[in-house]
Amino acid sequence: MSKLIVQSEKCIACGKCYLNFPQVFDCEDDGIAFVQEDATEQAQLLARSAIFDCPTRAIEEVDDTSATSH
Ligand code: F3S
């Protein structure tokens, strides 16, 4: 299983991801994108093209099965 993440330090707030896929992405007040907590796996699959649309490649698909380390 995989999920989408936004590397906020790479995001330049261009807005493409949340304009194209508002069911998956949202933004902070400063326009920096993040993936919504409740975005379904199905919605994230449909939004995968956002990875390639992002001008700075701030969006990545990561393996969700590995242990999360923070
Ligand atoms: Fe940021 Fe890329 Fe979305 S620059 S607003 S993550 S399309």
Side-chain angles (χ1 to χ4, degrees):
M1 208 159 60
S2 61
K3 64 174 183 177
L4 299 176
I5 57 159
V6 175
Q7 294 184 300
S8 52
E9 68 276 10
K10 285 190 186 173
C11 175
I12 56 168
C14 88
K16 264 190 184 177
C17 58
Y18 45 81
L19 289 173
N20 288 334
F21 302 103
Q23 62 278 70
V24 173
F25 300 97
D26 202 351
C27 66
E28 308 284 1
D29 290 345
D30 55 7
I32 302 299
F34 62 88
V35 175
Q36 296 176 46
E37 291 273 325
D38 59 354
T40 64
E41 198 188 346
Q42 182 73 17
Q44 291 188 51
L45 280 174
L46 291 170
R48 284 184 77 234
S49 63
I51 296 170
F52 310 103
D53 287 342
C54 176
T56 61
R57 292 291 170 91
I59 302 166
E60 281 184 10
E61 190 174 29
V62 296
D63 190 354
D64 200 20
T65 53
S66 59
T68 47
S69 55
H70 281 288

